[in-house]
Amino acid sequence: MRAWNVTGTTIESLQPVEVPEPAPGPAEVLVRIAAAALNYRDLAVLRGTYGSRTGAPYVPLSDGAGTVGTVGSAVRRVRPGDRVVLNYARDWIAGEPTEEALRPRLGMPLDGTLQEAMVLPEHAVVPLPDALPLEDAAVLPVAGTAAWHALFDFGRLQPGEQVVVQGTGGVSMLALQLATAARARVLVTTRSAAKAALAREHGADTVVVAGGPSWDAAVLEWTAGKGADLLLDVVGGDLSASLRATRFGGRVALIGFLASAEARFDLRFAIQRRLDLRGVSVGPRSSLEALVRAVAALRLRPFVSRTFSFEEAPAAFRALASGEHSGKLLIRF
Amino acid sequence: MRAWNVTGTTIESLQPVEVPEPAPGPAEVLVRIAAAALNYRDLAVLRGTYGSRTGAPYVPLSDGAGTVGTVGSAVRRVRPGDRVVLNYARDWIAGEPTEEALRPRLGMPLDGTLQEAMVLPEHAVVPLPDALPLEDAAVLPVAGTAAWHALFDFGRLQPGEQVVVQGTGGVSMLALQLATAARARVLVTTRSAAKAALAREHGADTVVVAGGPSWDAAVLEWTAGKGADLLLDVVGGDLSASLRATRFGGRVALIGFLASAEARFDLRFAIQRRLDLRGVSVGPRSSLEALVRAVAALRLRPFVSRTFSFEEAPAAFRALASGEHSGKLLIRF
Amino acid sequence: MRAWNVTGTTIESLQPVEVPEPAPGPAEVLVRIAAAALNYRDLAVLRGTYGSRTGAPYVPLSDGAGTVGTVGSAVRRVRPGDRVVLNYARDWIAGEPTEEALRPRLGMPLDGTLQEAMVLPEHAVVPLPDALPLEDAAVLPVAGTAAWHALFDFGRLQPGEQVVVQGTGGVSMLALQLATAARARVLVTTRSAAKAALAREHGADTVVVAGGPSWDAAVLEWTAGKGADLLLDVVGGDLSASLRATRFGGRVALIGFLASAEARFDLRFAIQRRLDLRGVSVGPRSSLEALVRAVAALRLRPFVSRTFSFEEAPAAFRALASGEHSGKLLIRF
Amino acid sequence: MRAWNVTGTTIESLQPVEVPEPAPGPAEVLVRIAAAALNYRDLAVLRGTYGSRTGAPYVPLSDGAGTVGTVGSAVRRVRPGDRVVLNYARDWIAGEPTEEALRPRLGMPLDGTLQEAMVLPEHAVVPLPDALPLEDAAVLPVAGTAAWHALFDFGRLQPGEQVVVQGTGGVSMLALQLATAARARVLVTTRSAAKAALAREHGADTVVVAGGPSWDAAVLEWTAGKGADLLLDVVGGDLSASLRATRFGGRVALIGFLASAEARFDLRFAIQRRLDLRGVSVGPRSSLEALVRAVAALRLRPFVSRTFSFEEAPAAFRALASGEHSGKLLIRF
């Protein structure tokens, strides 16, 4: 079977290889990958800026979905032929995050999804309802569970509430689509008119083109001076505007750091307004299951801006590095 | 009756005045204050650094307890002679913080407790159980409900959990006493050997004299490398050590800013470890009621480092300004 | 001004009276009622089966909305001309239920909304957004906040979850409309084909005509054998089928007792499946505010099956007593 | 090695057998059991009244602790020689209960702890701190996690709150000890003066000898008419007194059914007072970990009323069947 290996710290170091198909142990399943998706994390891992690494070569990518092939003798959760999506934090089933549960993740330190087949413990796959295509499911594990966790677990979003989402990246577009489907009202900040149109198309109640320093004033106007109930911050750096744009007792999900990883804000403001800032990342399998169910029930189609073939994997990485895309980048096998 | 008025922006501007005793309206009660307590807020209000102000002269102080005198005709919650503590956020009864509920507060913009009697709506007083002396109750509204909220509402503290408390100030000493009583284990950081001894006396499991840059390493050792379940940050500024000292999925209560009000930390760390940072301040009356009940049931004596007479109010403010004290400063009428 | 008085324990004892218009005190507002709505509670209060009563005559009805007339000198929350809905549990602003907060309720022991004008504390009214007509708002306080609380506070409903709603009464229809709007999937049980059609029209994913003993089997089939995430029980009596229809760790909102007020179920089942049964009734003003915001944002029109004029109040009570209606019964002034 | 097998449906059917020692697979550990404990469940399983069964013969008992012997090649969580307690719901690590997570349980359908050694997945054992003796740990998995869950997860117990615990059985004594340690106040109901003395000895604030029908009146007196914050019901049947003894918005943990498994109560009361009734049973491994940490930190010694040797297992079952004991029955190997 074919796979891609990262052999260095550049996109050029991606190498196609031919490897033998693995065989599942008693409690394991073989999954034939049908589609995989990219996240900024994949680029950071490749470039070696993601913290501790295992040595190259390794198979990259954290997101993927496919069809169950052979299964081990003790497997009960799925059968050959079942369509499944893979749980990125492989062994995190449910409950609070722990270091132990979050260590084994696809795409680093475990091998990732950019290979035609892979073996996983049966507990690491989530069966898909008929209504959910494999290509849609493939983009959900990393960005989708982060958006879900920010909106519905941390955010406890209720219909009619007002949410601010920054930008049109992978997490942001899924958050926009999910929050809109759940009948919250969403304001999207963005830097380009094209992306503003895209956000509107996907349900944004209001879009603020964030060229100036005062997008928070626009949020206050949108909320009658009160501030948003929930804000998803993917920009990082100076959080002052994000905090000003959030209501008394409101919630700020800290998700990204496109501008800077060094957060800064005025403690007096956060204390006076009783703000809640939470570091948000992927969730456990139970979140992925809830998300899969919701996406299917809502007939929601996650926004994919570009699709690549398996052979075009390096081009997909280059598109990711350019930062020009909105939503997700998909690789169809 | 006697009162103190703030007439400028210095401690020297405190003036004793003689004013007529106020009379309660139908749903109001007159409370004869027996003791009042000081908080850093009182100094910031006096100096005009606390944000928007009403004009001087005004009666300072936010904390107080006393005995009900005359009551209005519609009053049902208390009777003349009842011993009560006053709710600092006067109209915040219960539930989530809102701007509306938090606006009217004792000591600014409303007149405060440094007067022999004051009139309040009946909903703003909490009756005291016999076991709780007025002088102990007087220190609870501001620092006590902040400590309670950080530990038991935000913190959801369970027995056996490990908590880090910074310093031996008003909130910190009450948090130490309450968390210890609830059988959590508490590590206190402090800068002096004398304060270390005080913390140990009041139940600290471990004390770290925080001279060096690595008190977080001591916390990690104390928690077998895992980090504390809950950390109460009163220092502010660079939060890196506080975040490193907190476990995966742990909670950081942002309470003070002794070092700096400009918070800074690495977003990657907060996101990777799913940390929860919450601005914590006083709670609603329901928190004060729960606190009063707990302090009485636990026979806990809030630590007061110095007591002043009504006439010595300026000296109490000077002691507060010096920053040398631990626990609370009390004025006994 | 005109009002209706209950003077006995039968619908026939309803008497039209002419009374002087009341005047608001300093923190009070006069509201000119535009519409009122009926609840089963009103009938139970009238018949004297609702527990302790104040003596007749009294003004009945708990639900109402109208326009602010004169306001007291200290009023800040609203102005003359503002459109408002009234908070049934008049003094319950936010937070956990307490006996004290729940005692003063409109329609008993306080006078109710079946009068052309009434005086209320300013904290007891909720301003309406332009998008929400007074007649729609008038049906929300009792049935609406109960449905909201069951679904979104107790129920923590997330998009894609599966909810069972019994019948097409006032709470049930609002719950169906709200849950559907929030993109949960709703199964409605009912006893008639006409009501089944009504439920489908208002968004029900599935309707089970509950003639037989096995509606719970239909729920299990609908949920692939797993059981509903949340069930709203308005029937009471033998809860066995409701419990069987609820998933492991699921939630059952106990709302009504149309069949019997004597609940019965097998403890082994509730324990083994870790079920959560919660007595649900109206919520605080904060719930009414959230509901008002959601209904306006979602452009949701609460279902009213019949509308009466002020003069037809006895006919409205008779329609209520017949139990034939779905959704709400409205009185337009 | 030695084991006991259940071969029928009577205590007399317990048979000592000699079986070969099992060997752990790659991710498994062998645990040499040092102590096991009994629960009513064990009797119900033996008698066939616990619902679906696997066929006899099987090894009974759900609770146990011991020392790790050989470990599989992939094991990381523990080493040979580590002292561990076993997680009864073997595969439930954390998070909400699901049917899948709760199916494999020790003592049925899996073999239990009444054998000198057993093999378990490494994820099913919890390492013990030095301060916690194996015999104390052995009684924790079933009764301890149920008590913990009722008090601290469902109950969210805070210091100073008032809890009612029924009787002095296994869950009740542990709940009394834990709640007292966490500085809540506990009222215990019991039927005998000897058990009343035992409850007082272990920290009960008040004991009501429940001969008459009015123990709930005693609770109301103890709580100044308000009702308990939390009540642990192990008696079942008519829950009216339990509901009357619980405060507005209070919580009732449904744990046992000593009187009857057919729960009955008045819905109007539960609805009016917004009571929360939750079926409570064992928790996930994360609860057992929290409990182990708390028991060690608090130096709490779980109350064991009788200890038996491995050979005396049938006598232990007979003691359990008699229902005369308080706290736990232990078998020391």
Side-chain angles (χ1 to χ4, degrees), chain D residues 270-294:
Chain D
I271 291 172
Q272 203 169 13
R273 294 175 79 92
R274 278 78 173 161
L275 298 179
D276 195 356
L277 288 75
R278 174 89 63 96
V280 166
S281 181
V282 297
R285 193 186 77 197
S286 61
S287 292
L288 182 56
E289 290 165 336
L291 173 64
V292 158
R293 178 168 67 158

Side-chain angles (χ1 to χ4, degrees), chain A residues 2 23 34 54 80 90 111 125 137 149 166 168 172 205 226 236 238 248 275 281 292 309 317:
Chain A
R2 296 178 302 164
T54 62
R90 193 191 66 182
D111 271 342
V125 300
H149 184 60
Q166 295 181 330
T168 57
S172 297
D205 183 269
K226 200 181 150 211
D238 184 351
F248 237 83
L275 298 178
S281 181
V292 159
S309 68
F317 268 88

Side-chain angles (χ1 to χ4, degrees), chain D residues 85 119 236 307 310 323:
Chain D
V85 60
V119 161
T307 303
F310 185 79

Side-chain angles (χ1 to χ4, degrees), chain B residues 217-269:
Chain B
V219 174
L220 289 176
E221 195 188 322
W222 178 59
T223 55
K226 198 181 151 212
D229 297 287
L230 174 62
L231 184 144
L232 275 58
D233 193 290
V234 301
V235 173
D238 184 350
L239 303 179
S240 303
S242 288
L243 268 53
R244 280 195 304 268
T246 304
R247 71 160 165 83
F248 236 83
R251 302 176 290 268
V252 179
L254 305 174
I255 299 179
F257 35 86
L258 293 176
S260 160
E262 175 79 0
R264 296 192 310 282
F265 61 88
D266 189 325
L267 278 166
R268 288 169 298 192
F269 196 84

Side-chain angles (χ1 to χ4, degrees), chain A residues 53-115:
Chain A
R53 335 182 25 203
T54 62
Y58 70 93
V59 179
L61 298 197
S62 310
D63 276 343
T67 304
V68 174
T70 50
V71 304
S73 55
V75 166
R76 291 177 167 219
R77 301 188 75 236
V78 289
R79 299 180 187 189
D82 282 358
R83 299 157 62 258
V84 294
V85 61
L86 314 185
N87 190 28
Y88 160 65
R90 193 191 66 182
D91 296 345
W92 189 14
I93 307 295
E96 292 297 298
T98 63
E99 197 160 5
E100 182 183 335
L102 274 154
R103 204 178 296 120
R105 285 166 294 164
L106 306 192
M108 183 62 53
L110 305 172
D111 271 342
T113 59
L114 196 51
Q115 50 184 333

Side-chain angles (χ1 to χ4, degrees), chain B residues 142-219:
Chain B
V142 173
T145 60
W148 181 268
H149 184 60
L151 295 173
F152 299 111
D153 294 329
F154 168 60
R156 300 189 302 276
L157 197 60
Q158 298 186 332
E161 285 197 322
Q162 292 177 280
V163 184
V164 173
V165 170
Q166 294 181 330
T168 58
V171 177
S172 297
M173 281 299 292
L174 278 161
L176 166 61
Q177 295 185 279
L178 286 164
T180 299
R183 304 299 289 273
R185 295 165 63 198
V186 182
L187 179 151
V188 175
T189 65
T190 181
R191 292 181 172 281
S192 89
K195 291 181 177 179
L198 183 73
R200 271 193 207 92
E201 226 170 85
H202 284 84
D205 183 269
T206 302
V207 180
V208 177
V209 180
S214 60
W215 63 267
D216 52 310
V219 174

Side-chain angles (χ1 to χ4, degrees), chain A residues 33 61-62 65-66 83 91 100 150 169 186 196 201 280 285 300 330:
Chain A
I33 308 296
L61 298 197
S62 310
R83 299 157 62 258
D91 296 345
E100 182 183 335
V186 182
E201 224 171 87
V280 165
R285 192 186 78 198
L300 192 148
L330 186 80

Side-chain angles (χ1 to χ4, degrees), chain D residues 32-332:
Chain D
R32 302 197 181 281
I33 307 297
L38 286 82
N39 295 282
Y40 279 112
R41 172 184 190 271
D42 302 315
L43 207 58
V45 170
L46 181 146
R47 288 172 172 164
T49 60
Y50 190 72
S52 62
R53 333 182 28 202
T54 62
Y58 69 93
V59 179
L61 299 197
S62 309
D63 276 343
T67 304
V68 175
T70 49
V71 304
S73 56
V75 167
R76 291 176 167 219
R77 300 188 75 237
V78 289
R79 298 181 186 186
D82 282 359
R83 300 157 61 258
V84 295
V85 60
L86 313 185
N87 189 28
Y88 160 64
R90 194 190 66 181
D91 296 344
W92 190 14
I93 308 294
E96 291 297 298
T98 63
E99 196 159 5
E100 182 184 334
L102 273 154
R103 203 177 298 120
R105 285 166 293 164
L106 306 192
M108 183 61 51
L110 304 172
D111 271 340
T113 59
L114 196 53
Q115 50 184 333
E116 289 183 318
M118 61 192 297
V119 161
L120 291 157
E122 65 163 331
H123 67 242
V125 300
V126 171
L128 298 173
D130 293 342
L132 188 50
L134 282 172
E135 296 187 4
D136 288 1
V139 307
L140 297 178
V142 172
T145 60
W148 182 267
H149 184 60
L151 295 173
F152 299 110
D153 295 328
F154 168 60
R156 300 189 301 277
L157 197 60
Q158 298 188 332
E161 287 197 322
Q162 293 178 278
V163 185
V164 173
V165 169
Q166 295 180 330
T168 58
V171 176
S172 297
M173 281 300 290
L174 278 161
L176 166 61
Q177 294 185 280
L178 286 164
T180 299
R183 303 298 290 271
R185 296 166 64 199
V186 182
L187 180 150
V188 175
T189 64
T190 180
R191 292 181 173 280
S192 89
K195 291 181 177 179
L198 183 73
R200 272 194 206 92
E201 222 171 90
H202 284 85
D205 184 90
T206 301
V207 180
V208 177
V209 180
S214 60
W215 62 268
D216 53 310
V219 175
L220 289 176
E221 196 188 321
W222 179 59
T223 55
K226 199 181 150 214
D229 298 287
L230 174 63
L231 184 144
L232 276 58
D233 193 290
V234 302
V235 173
D238 184 351
L239 302 180
S240 303
S242 287
L243 267 53
R244 281 195 303 268
T246 305
R247 72 160 164 84
F248 236 83
R251 302 175 290 269
V252 178
L254 305 174
I255 299 179
F257 34 87
L258 293 176
S260 159
E262 176 78 0
R264 296 191 310 282
F265 62 88
D266 189 325
L267 278 166
R268 289 169 297 192
F269 195 85
I271 291 172
Q272 203 169 13
R273 294 175 79 92
R274 278 78 173 161
L275 298 179
D276 195 356
L277 288 75
R278 174 89 63 96
V280 166
S281 181
V282 297
R285 193 186 77 197
S286 61
S287 292
L288 182 56
E289 290 165 336
L291 173 64
V292 158
R293 178 168 67 158
V295 170
L298 276 51
R299 308 275 158 177
L300 193 148
R301 304 291 318 262
F303 178 72
V304 171
S305 59
R306 287 184 65 187
T307 303
F308 300 83
S309 68
F310 185 79
E311 293 78 13
E312 294 169 326
F317 267 88
R318 281 190 293 271
L320 179 67
S322 79
E324 297 296 312
H325 67 290
S326 292
K328 300 299 297 177
L329 299 171
L330 187 80
I331 297 181
R332 189 189 288 145

